[in-house]
Amino acid sequence: MPSGMHLFILALCIAVVEASWFHPWTKESKCPGSDSYIHAKCQIEVISSKTCAEVAEEIEARVSGQSRGAWEDPHNRGTYTMTSTPTPELLEFSRLTGDGKYTDKLTFHLEGRSDNRCALYGCSESQVTSIKDFSTNCCNLRMLYCGADKGCRNVKHELEAEELEVDKSLGAGMDWDACFPLLHN
């Protein structure tokens, strides 16, 4: 039977975890959700110099290009799958890790700007109990919009994107170099 001190420490740990999960995320981003109460996640707000139609077309081309060798996920060769019919404002995916062990869900909300640029609000969430994700959730998102300036391969359009905000759960990472482990090993 746990002592009073053990219960206090457990309650404190739960409070810290809950605080990290429920802090104010980017308001425009809607996350896909997870059946796991404790899980890693990352939200990103990005502005692209391209229109939302061009951004969506490039992201979709990367995902569909995996099967014909036109594009490969540089982050451990994961496999992205479109999970719903894309709309001009919403793209939804899952990503299976390269080793086939884990699946994450991710969404992008696209918002056109008056200057023909596109704002992207992305969210990626682990679907299993996890805290430390070694930057995987941020990389899941980044690999779909990054441009040649970051070492990414474009399929249809050269995307240039500036990250305005990155928000992650406690323990999740956001290291760009972690997105390209094959280049750093």
Side-chain angles (χ1 to χ4, degrees):
M1 189 80 180
S3 70
M5 181 56 100
H6 286 108
L7 292 174
F8 172 76
I9 292 171
L10 178 62
L12 183 61
C13 290
I14 289 171
V16 167
V17 169
E18 284 181 347
S20 72
W21 261 256
F22 298 111
H23 63 81
W25 294 95
T26 304
K27 65 179 168 74
E28 291 84 356
S29 181
K30 305 285 188 276
C31 292
S34 176
D35 288 337
S36 180
Y37 181 69
I38 298 174
H39 62 278
K41 77 189 232 182
C42 178
Q43 288 185 276
I44 297 180
E45 180 180 351
V46 177
I47 191 82
S48 173
S49 61
K50 300 292 184 185
T51 66
C52 287
E54 291 169 315
V55 170
E57 191 174 58
E58 175 62 24
I59 290 173
E60 291 174 44
R62 290 181 189 190
V63 172
S64 66
Q66 296 171 108
S67 62
R68 60 181 194 282
W71 186 77
E72 181 179 74
D73 175 21
H75 181 62
N76 294 319
R77 295 187 179 101
T79 303
Y80 289 87
T81 304
M82 185 102 32
T83 58
S84 68
T85 303
T87 69
E89 298 86 27
L90 178 64
L91 302 172
E92 297 177 302
F93 306 95
S94 65
R95 179 184 177 273
L96 179 65
T97 56
D99 61 9
K101 290 183 179 179
Y102 305 103
T103 299
D104 300 321
K105 290 182 181 177
L106 51 151
T107 58
F108 280 108
H109 291 265
L110 288 72
E111 180 182 289
R113 298 294 170 96
S114 59
D115 58 359
N116 282 329
R117 298 188 312 159
C118 184
L120 290 85
Y121 303 96
C123 184
S124 176
E125 291 187 282
S126 296
Q127 298 301 300
V128 298
T129 299
S130 63
I131 295 175
K132 188 168 179 65
D133 75 346
F134 304 96
S135 300
T136 294
N137 282 288
C138 284
C139 294
N140 288 347
L141 299 165
R142 289 171 167 162
M143 297 302 92
L144 293 178
Y145 65 75
C146 60
D149 62 321
K150 292 289 188 183
C152 294
R153 183 173 166 207
N154 298 293
V155 179
K156 289 191 144 201
H157 302 286
E158 171 58 40
L159 295 184
E160 296 172 7
E162 176 188 355
E163 288 184 358
L164 303 177
E165 184 177 350
V166 177
D167 207 351
K168 61 184 187 56
S169 59
L170 180 70
M174 53 187 262
D175 179 19
W176 264 102
D177 286 343
C179 300
F180 301 96
L182 303 176
L183 297 177
H184 300 287
N185 288 335

